Amino acid sequence: MKYLYYPGCSLEGTAREYDFSTRAFMQEVGVELLEIKDWTCCGASAAEAISPLLSLALPACVLAMAEAMDGAEDILVPCSACYLNLKKVEEKSRKDADLLGRINTVLKEEDLHLSGQLNVRHLLDVMATDVGPEKIVTRLKNPLVGMSIAPYYGCQALRPYVVFDDPETPTSMEPIIKATGASIHQWDMGGKCCGAAHMSTKQDVALELVAAILKEAKGADAIVTVCPMCQMNLEAYQGKINSMMNEDLSIAILYLPQLLGLSIGLSEQDLHLSDNLSNLDAFRQKLQ
Amino acid sequence: MNQLEEIVTEVGPEPVLEPVFDPLASVRKKVNACIQCGTCTGSCPNAFAMDLTPRQLWYNVLMGEKETIFHSKTFSLCSVCYYCTLRCPRGLPLTEAMSELKQIAVKENPDLYKLSIRFYQNFLESVRRHGRVREMEFMTLFFLSMMNPFLPLKFTWLGMRLMAKGKVSPEIPSKGRGAFEALFRKVEELEKN
């Protein structure tokens, strides 16, 4: 299995453990990743708030660069914001030839051209649909028996494009988490918003949203995420939230490939567990 | 984007139509079929913090209440979670309409939305210069543009933790090679009309 790989800006910086763990896990299960050469920013949520054309042109550049690579048909994207931005261009350019023309007018300035032949796939889609639980079961070295894991999907991997899971009550993580021997913490918060960029610009609002998620996760040993924004929001403000709620809601937050990687024998160093901002002590103890 | 609407200025055997420039026209087109059911408000995770609920906002859009809309906190509180878009019984592109209001707000009332606008603009400035976001650079530009000496302090704790783990490198803002200058200029040119 081969995929073009688009890490995105966050995975180079604040979410680098997501990048390392994704690459390590994929290598272990025999999936080849071809990083898009000289890739650029997808625009995140910034472009959309300022300029409609820019919010399409920036991800279109990435798709055009990927097309020029000519190595696979699918682009694997771990970050949900990048995924949605790229997917939006994929969907809209296929339906609206005039829009595609307008986008290509802009892309020409950078000597790029988009034809729209590649498929944009979220990392979770690839893990759940293509990789599947069997590849984990056959490689199981450290079964996570006794661990209760709360799967957190966030918003943009599920909505508005309904591709690989239910947009309101998602379950796609469950078979692969169960394959590790862990059990699923049953809750309704899997697809509920983490507050996204509000954590920087309207923090009091975002803290309420995260507090509600952490409260429902009580009893689980960890929450696993598939998006750098969600991961940051859930793990970096637990101290503040504990004071706000007058309750200890601290919990380990891991990226999904980190959890899966642990079960198939990858080391904490391979998975860059020390980069996580949440306190992993209780989680580590349970790993023994 | 055609923002010229024709309104009737005189009724009678020969009504007179006059073009009027209305920035809300395109947004109104998106929500024209709104039946005010309130599903959007019920689905919105940020509604609790809003002055106008989403449903009320769409009503104001339909009524053309520009002043009310661009003095409200509503659209800037949208976290783009797409719940409303998913559930709207009329299938309206509500999240897109919110984004469009954000885009118009940048021009209509920049002072009220200064924090968000500066945040996004500085993010894009970093992309314009380097092709990718340099997180430290963009935050530095953001703090400088806000000219509020207390603002950086809100992020100090998180920034230090990230730097300690080597997840963010301290970088001085640099002009870079203008990586995306041509693209940004073209977009500005095309969007001027």
Side-chain angles (χ1 to χ4, degrees):
Chain A
M1 284 191 282
K2 220 193 310 182
Y3 300 86
L4 291 161
Y5 184 56
Y6 179 62
C9 304
S10 291
L11 267 74
E12 267 199 325
T14 49
R16 62 185 212 163
E17 66 270 34
Y18 193 16
D19 184 39
F20 284 117
S21 57
T22 296
R23 292 177 196 260
F25 175 80
M26 287 304 186
Q27 189 176 44
E28 192 67 21
V29 298
V31 171
E32 193 186 338
L33 299 177
L34 298 166
E35 188 173 339
I36 298 169
K37 190 169 178 298
D38 292 331
W39 55 263
T40 51
C41 183
C42 74
S45 54
E48 180 173 10
I50 304 289
S51 154
L53 189 54
L54 192 62
S55 75
L56 293 169
L58 288 175
C61 279
V62 178
L63 291 179
M65 285 180 220
E67 281 179 6
M69 293 264 304
D70 196 32
E73 284 169 3
D74 291 356
I75 306 176
L76 188 152
V77 191
C79 166
S80 295
C82 298
Y83 166 75
L84 181 55
N85 286 337
L86 296 181
K87 196 111 192 102
K88 231 191 282 184
V89 175
E90 180 196 341
E91 294 281 323
K92 282 180 191 260
S93 62
R94 282 182 189 166
K95 292 202 178 96
D96 187 343
D98 284 334
L99 182 63
L100 182 58
R102 217 161 127 88
I103 289 172
N104 273 323
T105 308
V106 177
L107 258 48
K108 214 165 104 173
E109 300 293 311
E110 301 288 336
D111 295 317
L112 291 169
H113 179 84
L114 177 70
S115 24
Q117 67 222 78
L118 294 176
N119 303 315
V120 180
R121 310 276 306 280
H122 192 280
L123 173 70
L124 177 55
D125 180 7
V126 171
M127 278 180 153
T129 316
D130 300 356
V131 174
E134 303 76 34
K135 285 210 170 64
I136 294 168
V137 170
T138 53
R139 289 169 173 76
L140 209 54
K141 294 208 176 71
N142 301 322
L144 305 177
V145 180
M147 283 254 196
S148 168
I149 305 294
Y152 182 71
Y153 302 76
C155 303
Q156 301 194 338
L158 304 175
R159 301 182 293 271
Y161 299 112
V162 182
V163 176
F164 61 92
D165 203 348
D166 186 280
E168 298 204 39
T169 47
T171 53
S172 55
M173 276 201 237
E174 295 186 15
I176 41 181
I177 292 176
K178 285 200 259 200
T180 68
S183 63
I184 306 292
H185 174 84
Q186 294 298 334
W187 67 341
D188 293 325
M189 303 302 278
K192 297 269 154 73
C193 188
C194 69
H198 288 348
M199 200 52 100
S200 298
T201 48
K202 289 162 204 69
Q203 198 170 94
D204 44 339
V205 177
L207 289 174
E208 292 279 351
L209 268 54
V210 175
I213 294 166
L214 295 181
K215 211 169 153 87
E216 291 299 309
K218 232 179 166 179
D221 295 300
I223 302 177
V224 289
T225 68
V226 286
C227 164
M229 182 92 264
C230 301
Q231 175 85 9
M232 172 80 88
N233 283 359
L234 292 178
E235 71 175 351
Y237 302 89
Q238 291 186 8
K240 249 191 187 154
I241 288 172
N242 289 344
S243 318
M244 193 176 97
M245 303 290 285
N246 217 1
E247 198 181 339
D248 185 10
L249 296 173
S250 305
I251 183 171
I253 317 281
L254 277 79
Y255 285 106
L256 181 64
Q258 286 181 316
L259 184 84
L260 302 179
L262 285 170
S263 74
I264 59 173
L266 292 172
S267 72
E268 289 197 16
Q269 286 86 342
D270 294 329
L271 301 166
H272 280 245
L273 235 54
S274 57
D275 286 349
N276 291 38
L277 290 177
S278 53
N279 192 326
L280 300 181
D281 291 341
F283 178 79
R284 278 198 177 94
Q285 270 201 340
K286 215 159 177 190
L287 269 183
Q288 314 306 352
Chain B
M1 195 180 336
N2 184 18
Q3 290 172 337
L4 292 180
E5 282 202 335
E6 290 179 328
I7 59 166
V8 177
T9 50
E10 263 177 57
V11 260
E14 293 224 16
V16 178
L17 295 173
E18 266 185 26
V20 167
F21 184 77
D22 181 5
L24 285 179
S26 165
V27 187
R28 196 174 316 122
K29 244 198 195 115
K30 289 190 161 92
V31 301
N32 232 351
C34 171
I35 52 172
Q36 290 285 290
C37 71
T39 299
C40 50
T41 297
S43 311
C44 178
N46 302 298
F48 73 94
M50 293 175 180
D51 39 14
L52 292 177
T53 64
R55 180 188 66 80
Q56 288 170 334
L57 182 76
W58 303 131
Y59 186 75
N60 276 277
V61 169
L62 292 173
M63 294 297 116
E65 295 292 333
K66 221 178 73 169
E67 288 299 305
T68 311
I69 293 166
F70 293 111
H71 281 90
S72 80
K73 300 194 274 183
T74 305
F75 55 85
S76 64
L77 277 168
C78 172
S79 56
V80 196
C81 80
Y82 283 97
Y83 252 120
C84 54
T85 300
L86 183 80
R87 289 180 177 172
C88 173
R90 280 278 160 119
L92 305 178
L94 298 175
T95 313
E96 260 182 42
M98 283 289 187
S99 293
E100 199 172 332
L101 288 174
K102 285 177 191 170
Q103 292 153 15
I104 299 168
V106 173
K107 300 170 202 136
E108 292 289 319
N109 193 348
D111 281 327
L112 186 61
Y113 307 108
K114 196 162 85 155
L115 189 74
S116 296
I117 293 171
R118 297 278 170 87
F119 189 78
Y120 296 134
Q121 280 175 336
N122 284 299
F123 182 105
L124 292 173
E125 181 58 31
S126 191
V127 175
R128 187 176 188 143
R129 292 179 187 180
H130 307 287
R132 298 182 192 179
V133 176
R134 292 205 182 154
E135 283 161 325
M136 206 67 217
E137 176 189 78
F138 129 66
M139 287 308 272
T140 308
L141 288 174
F142 170 55
F143 295 144
L144 287 172
S145 75
M146 287 300 292
M147 292 189 285
N148 173 357
F150 298 109
L151 188 61
L153 297 174
K154 283 177 79 180
F155 298 91
T156 315
W157 179 228
L158 180 62
M160 284 170 60
R161 282 179 79 193
L162 290 171
M163 280 201 268
K165 288 195 183 265
K167 290 165 81 162
V168 161
S169 45
E171 272 158 349
I172 305 157
S174 72
K175 265 287 170 184
R177 45 187 193 88
F180 263 149
E181 189 59 36
L183 183 140
F184 272 70
R185 279 231 184 99
K186 191 72 185 172
V187 168
E188 278 161 7
E189 177 198 313
L190 288 177
E191 285 193 322
K192 246 195 199 122
N193 57 358

